[in-house]
Amino acid sequence: MKAVITENNELKDMIEIHKTRTNECESMQLQLLSGNASLRTELDTTKGKLTASLNDLEDARRKHRFEIEDIKRHHSRELDEVNHNAQEEARNIGRKHSDESTELRRQLENKLEEEKALRLQAVQVLNNEGALAQEKAEVEMDRKDKALRATQADLHQSRSDLLREQSLSNTLRSNLAEAASSAICLEASMRSLRAKIDFLESDNMSQSQAFADLNGRLQDAIQSEMKAKEKLRSEESLRRKLHNQVQELKGNIRVFCRVRPSLGSDPANEAARISFPDGEGDSREVEVLGQEEKSSLGSITTKTNAFAFDRVFTPTSQNADVFDEISQLVQSALDGYNVCIFCYGQTGSGKTFTMSADDGMIPRAVHQIYNTAQSLEEKGWKYSMEGSFVEVYNENLNDLLGKSEEFDKKKHEIRHDMQKCKTTITDITTVNLDTPTKVESILQRATANRSVAATNANERSSRSHSVFILKLTGENSVTGEKSEGTLNLVDLAGSERLSHSKSTGDRLKETQNINRSLSCLGDVIGALGQGKEGGHVPYRNSKLTYLLQFSLGGNSKTLMFVMISPLQGHLSETLTSLKFATKVHNTHIGTARRQAKVRDS
């Protein structure tokens, strides 16, 4: 109970304390309210003062703005007046300056006209003096030139006289020396002749008889020599006739086959199976084993393709062996016949090597012609030779001995003389071949100009047909006989299958033109082989066949080389080439005619 009372007493004390503090807070609130009221009064007073101050400031600003505007208007009027005065003054100065300039210009122009007139008069005087001086100088120069020419002529004449005198002096000295030696010889001869005279006088009759016998023998020998020369000339004519008959018996289109040897770059395991049944004998046959074929029964067979030509050259044959067989045809060209030798075959089969190598058919043929022509000189024959070299490229003719920058720009026309069976080409370079070295030089020039390119079929493939034309003109000074022969040596561009060569762009166009011209060559030979007199032969379908018209049409002795590759990968092209060569071999195109005539007496 005491605890409760004690707790109540404590609560009462706490309430009293709380009341006391509440009263203190109320008194403080009253103080704050009175302070707040006084502050609000002061704030209102300050706001009133501030409003009055702002009004005064606004009035001052308005007054100042009016003053500034008045000053600006005043300044603007003053500035306009100054500008107006300045412009008026500038106009006055400008008018004055213009008047002064006009007057000054008029004065200067008057002075310039006067000066120009004076200068013109001076120039006229100088021109007159210069012309007079130039005329005098030219007269003096002409006089000095005449004097110089006269002096040079005198000098030249003096030199000539001096050389002539020196030569005469040397000649006289030589003659004097010879005369001295001759005098010694004559003295010895005189002693010898005196001895002979003594001997002849002793035996005059016997010596006269011996002299008569010797004179008779000399006349007999001269007669025998004349008969021998006449017989030699008749035998030469007979030899030409018999030689031509032998060539005709061999056929006017002869076909040789040559197999290229394997090269170091050829794959070792890709050699085609090519055999030569009569290689030890006449060597006229070649057999090529075809691709293996599987029959319907499953058996594997290989077809043997046999071909026969006038001569077959194995891979071991050299160019010298080949030329031995064609040398008689070259002789026919000297005898006055048209001769054509051309190489046919696929790209890379060795055509250019056979024709244009250092020991190829062209250099060897020319050397044989030179040697034979020299040997015929003692029989009265004298020959002149002219050579030209052309190519057929994309059905255009190019002069291989001309300027390479004119290729495909300069037009050359093929013209035929149907009566004389001669072919000429306009605007081509013709070289007089008086020495064999000239042939080597034109071959080098032609090889450099010829169109070649690399294809998948060959690293260096000829992209054109080249034709070397050698014209031979001979005349016999004894019999008056003349002969005109032509030797055409043709290196055909290689045939290619597009699937093998993979040609594109320019190479594709070249390949198409090459194959088309070779196809036209086959058409021409096929038409000739039909033997229809007056039948149409499509020479004009190709520039190549049109150029070789007289070389294929029976007026020429023709030899075709078919060149084949020893590689199995080229087997299809090899068989195609051999079949075409067989077709040519079986073709008869007539008898060649000799281009010869006898000189009118």
Side-chain angles (χ1 to χ4, degrees):
M1 201 56 194
K2 286 181 180 181
V4 172
I5 294 171
T6 304
E7 186 175 355
N8 287 334
N9 293 330
E10 289 178 354
L11 289 170
K12 289 180 180 179
D13 293 335
M14 290 177 65
I15 289 170
E16 288 295 330
I17 293 170
H18 182 67
K19 286 181 178 180
T20 304
R21 288 182 177 176
T22 300
N23 291 330
E24 290 177 355
C25 288
E26 288 178 352
S27 61
M28 289 178 65
Q29 182 177 10
L30 292 173
Q31 291 176 359
L32 290 171
L33 287 172
S34 61
N36 192 13
S38 61
L39 289 172
R40 186 176 289 109
T41 303
E42 290 178 358
L43 180 59
D44 292 339
T45 305
T46 303
K47 283 182 178 180
K49 292 180 180 180
L50 180 60
T51 301
S53 298
L54 289 174
N55 291 332
D56 294 339
L57 180 61
E58 184 65 27
D59 292 338
R61 284 179 177 175
R62 189 180 300 109
K63 184 179 179 182
H64 182 66
R65 188 166 53 252
F66 290 156
E67 290 176 354
I68 289 173
E69 289 178 355
D70 292 339
I71 292 171
K72 284 182 177 180
R73 283 193 296 272
H74 180 69
H75 179 69
S76 177
R77 283 194 299 271
E78 290 180 350
L79 184 61
D80 290 340
E81 290 178 359
V82 171
N83 286 337
H84 179 71
N85 294 333
Q87 289 177 358
E88 185 66 25
E89 187 175 356
R91 281 194 293 270
N92 294 332
I93 293 172
R95 283 193 296 271
K96 182 179 180 182
H97 179 69
S98 177
D99 294 339
E100 292 176 352
S101 298
T102 302
E103 181 63 25
L104 182 60
R105 184 182 292 109
R106 188 168 52 253
Q107 293 177 359
L108 290 175
E109 286 177 353
N110 293 333
K111 290 182 179 180
L112 182 61
E113 289 296 331
E114 294 175 358
E115 185 69 22
K116 187 185 292 184
L118 293 174
R119 293 289 178 91
L120 287 174
Q121 291 177 359
V123 168
Q124 187 65 30
V125 172
L126 290 175
N127 286 336
N128 294 335
E129 293 177 353
L132 184 60
Q134 184 177 1
E135 186 177 355
K136 290 181 179 178
E138 288 177 353
V139 171
E140 184 67 20
M141 188 177 293
D142 290 339
R143 187 179 62 79
K144 289 184 178 180
D145 284 343
K146 290 179 181 179
L148 179 61
R149 285 195 294 270
T151 304
Q152 289 177 345
D154 294 340
L155 179 60
H156 182 71
Q157 184 64 33
S158 300
R159 287 179 179 175
S160 300
D161 294 341
L162 179 61
L163 292 174
R164 187 168 59 254
E165 292 296 332
Q166 289 177 349
S167 175
L168 182 59
S169 176
N170 293 331
T171 303
L172 290 174
R173 288 178 182 176
S174 176
N175 291 339
L176 184 60
E178 291 178 359
S181 62
S182 297
I184 297 173
C185 293
L186 285 173
E187 186 175 355
S189 298
M190 285 176 63
R191 287 193 296 268
S192 175
L193 286 173
R194 284 173 183 170
K196 287 182 180 181
I197 289 171
D198 294 338
F199 173 75
L200 290 173
E201 287 178 351
S202 64
D203 196 8
N204 188 26
M205 295 298 293
S206 61
Q207 293 294 330
S208 299
Q209 184 62 37
F211 178 77
D213 292 340
L214 288 174
N215 189 36
R217 291 178 184 179
L218 178 61
Q219 294 299 324
D220 293 340
I222 292 173
Q223 293 294 329
S224 299
E225 183 184 5
M226 292 178 64
K227 291 180 180 180
K229 287 184 177 180
E230 183 65 29
K231 185 178 179 180
L232 186 62
R233 284 192 290 269
S234 62
E235 287 179 351
E236 173 63 19
S237 300
L238 180 61
R239 182 204 63 78
R240 292 180 179 228
K241 182 177 179 181
L242 293 175
H243 172 74
N244 181 56
Q245 290 176 353
V246 170
Q247 297 303 315
E248 288 177 357
L249 289 173
K250 290 182 177 179
N252 56 345
I253 284 192
R254 302 170 64 190
V255 178
F256 289 174
C257 174
R258 188 180 188 184
V259 183
R260 173 178 67 80
S262 297
L263 305 177
S265 57
D266 292 340
N269 57 348
E270 288 209 9
R273 290 172 291 180
I274 302 175
S275 60
F276 308 93
D278 62 342
E280 300 297 330
D282 294 337
S283 190
R284 295 174 180 270
E285 300 176 3
V286 59
E287 291 183 352
V288 181
L289 291 180
Q291 299 283 0
E292 294 182 349
E293 298 178 356
K294 190 173 184 180
S295 66
S296 58
L297 299 177
S299 61
I300 297 177
T301 59
T302 303
K303 182 180 178 181
T304 300
N305 300 276
F307 302 92
F309 303 106
D310 293 292
R311 181 65 192 270
V312 175
F313 296 95
T314 65
T316 58
S317 299
Q318 302 297 319
N319 279 346
D321 304 326
V322 177
F323 185 74
D324 286 342
E325 289 294 325
I326 72 167
S327 59
Q328 297 301 317
L329 279 177
V330 176
Q331 178 64 43
S332 294
L334 276 171
D335 292 343
Y337 292 90
N338 289 339
V339 177
C340 179
I341 302 173
F342 63 94
C343 279
Y344 176 89
Q346 69 192 80
T347 294
S349 58
K351 298 183 300 301
T352 301
F353 174 79
T354 299
M355 297 300 289
S356 303
D358 292 339
D359 62 342
M361 301 305 103
I362 294 177
R364 286 180 178 272
V366 174
H367 279 83
Q368 177 186 335
I369 288 171
Y370 275 109
N371 295 334
T372 306
Q374 288 179 355
S375 65
L376 289 175
E377 287 183 357
E378 64 182 15
K379 300 175 184 178
W381 285 96
K382 185 173 182 62
Y383 285 90
S384 63
M385 287 161 274
E386 293 181 345
S388 55
F389 220 138
V390 298
E391 73 168 355
V392 181
Y393 175 71
N394 285 345
E395 288 302 300
N396 288 323
L397 282 178
N398 290 327
D399 182 4
L400 291 179
L401 302 182
K403 298 179 181 179
S404 58
E405 59 267 18
E406 294 180 350
F407 284 10
D408 298 328
K409 297 178 182 178
K410 191 174 183 179
K411 298 299 180 183
H412 303 281
E413 296 182 3
I414 302 172
R415 296 177 180 175
H416 293 309
D417 186 339
M418 305 306 293
Q419 294 181 347
K420 297 182 179 180
C421 296
K422 290 184 178 180
T423 300
T424 57
I425 306 172
T426 60
D427 294 332
I428 63 168
T429 303
T430 301
V431 180
N432 185 23
L433 303 177
D434 50 3
T435 59
T437 55
K438 279 194 176 181
V439 179
E440 298 173 1
S441 65
I442 67 173
L443 280 178
Q444 293 175 358
R445 195 192 321 174
T447 301
N449 287 337
R450 191 177 178 191
S451 301
V452 296
T455 68
N456 283 5
N458 190 19
E459 289 183 358
R460 183 175 175 84
S461 174
S462 299
R463 312 308 296 163
S464 64
H465 312 296
S466 71
V467 183
F468 175 70
I469 305 170
L470 182 63
K471 294 186 177 181
L472 307 169
T473 304
E475 182 176 1
N476 193 312
S477 59
V478 178
T479 64
E481 188 179 8
K482 291 184 178 180
S483 67
E484 296 179 359
T486 302
L487 177 62
N488 293 318
L489 299 171
V490 186
D491 179 10
L492 298 177
S495 59
E496 295 179 357
R497 293 184 183 272
L498 291 175
S499 58
H500 179 217
S501 65
K502 308 296 183 185
S503 299
T504 58
D506 291 340
R507 301 289 86 79
L508 173 61
K509 180 181 177 182
E510 292 169 351
T511 302
Q512 291 172 339
N513 281 305
I514 290 170
N515 292 340
R516 186 182 302 113
S517 61
L518 294 177
S519 176
C520 291
L521 178 62
D523 294 341
V524 167
I525 292 178
L528 292 170
Q530 294 178 2
K532 295 181 180 179
E533 187 174 354
H536 174 66
V537 180
Y539 292 115
R540 290 182 176 271
N541 287 358
S542 167
K543 282 288 180 64
L544 174 66
T545 54
Y546 191 54
L547 176 62
L548 300 178
Q549 177 171 343
F550 292 135
S551 298
L552 300 173
N555 294 310
S556 174
K557 297 178 182 297
T558 305
L559 170 66
M560 186 186 87
F561 274 104
V562 56
M563 315 296 295
I564 60 176
S565 168
L567 299 181
Q568 183 70 18
H570 299 162
L571 183 61
S572 177
E573 283 286 349
T574 296
L575 292 174
T576 301
S577 298
L578 290 173
K579 290 175 182 177
F580 176 76
T582 301
K583 177 180 177 182
V584 175
H585 187 239
N586 295 331
T587 300
H588 180 77
I589 61 173
T591 303
R593 294 194 297 272
R594 184 183 177 201
Q595 303 294 323
K597 58 184 178 180
V598 178
R599 181 180 58 193
D600 295 334
S601 58

